[in-house]
Amino acid sequence: MLETLNFWVATGFGLGLAPMAPGTFGSLIGIPLAWWLLGRPVGYQAAGIAVLLVVAVPVCHVAAWHYAGLDHGSIVADEYVAFPLAVIGLTAARQPLVMLLAFVVYRLFDGLKPPPIHLAEYVHGGLGIVLDDVIAALVTWVVLALLLKLWQRRTLKST
């Protein structure tokens, strides 16, 4: 029974079993999770994300056993648990267009795995599975924070 529960959590309650773009479908769970966390103080956001990430490591590790230890596309717990990190503390992300932008940027970084994200691929097991998504989320946060700052400056100059 625990193995079945782990499988469902790891596959995003079945979203990771989508025949096309399973990572993107699985990541969708991260949107309401991030939205909910953004309504909390930043300390609670950080603590909640930390707990989720710590839990995701063994969940992904056990799920990978079914796929010869590989980060199979159907394992998406890492994606949806790491996504809230991409918007942590950015209250503007509660606006739907900003949240959508964060999601698109996060998926691009996670899918393309440019440096330094690709380096996490060398870490084995559940930690490696989660680590690349954490790095993608952190890079997304930097990009989003810069874009929001530029937008804020532009808006202030035009008034």
Side-chain angles (χ1 to χ4, degrees):
M1 177 164 147
L2 283 177
E3 195 171 305
T4 301
L5 177 62
N6 190 85
F7 175 79
W8 284 109
V9 171
T11 61
F13 309 97
L15 289 175
L17 301 173
M20 292 180 65
T24 299
F25 281 106
S27 294
L28 291 172
I29 298 170
I31 294 173
L33 183 59
W35 191 278
W36 180 78
L37 284 168
L38 281 171
R40 310 290 173 264
V42 175
Y44 288 116
Q45 292 176 43
I49 293 168
V51 167
L52 290 170
L53 289 171
V54 167
V55 169
V57 170
V59 165
C60 292
H61 189 82
V62 169
W65 288 347
H66 294 285
Y67 300 106
L70 301 174
D71 183 4
H72 191 268
S74 65
I75 301 172
V76 296
D78 51 326
E79 273 103 356
Y80 71 78
V81 167
F83 175 71
L85 192 55
V87 295
I88 187 171
L90 301 175
T91 55
R94 288 200 51 122
Q95 297 176 22
L97 287 178
V98 177
M99 184 67 77
L100 177 62
L101 175 63
F103 184 79
V104 169
V105 171
Y106 172 70
R107 290 306 304 144
L108 283 172
F109 281 132
D110 186 40
L112 297 175
K113 299 196 189 323
I117 300 166
H118 77 286
L119 295 174
E121 299 285 303
Y122 297 109
V123 179
H124 297 289
L127 180 60
I129 292 171
V130 174
L131 189 58
D132 71 311
D133 298 283
V134 167
I135 298 169
L138 291 172
V139 173
T140 299
W141 187 92
V142 170
V143 169
L144 197 59
L146 288 172
L147 288 173
L148 289 170
K149 186 57 99 176
L150 289 172
W151 180 260
Q152 183 182 31
R153 283 187 181 169
R154 183 177 178 254
T155 305
L156 288 175
K157 283 183 180 180
S158 66
T159 56

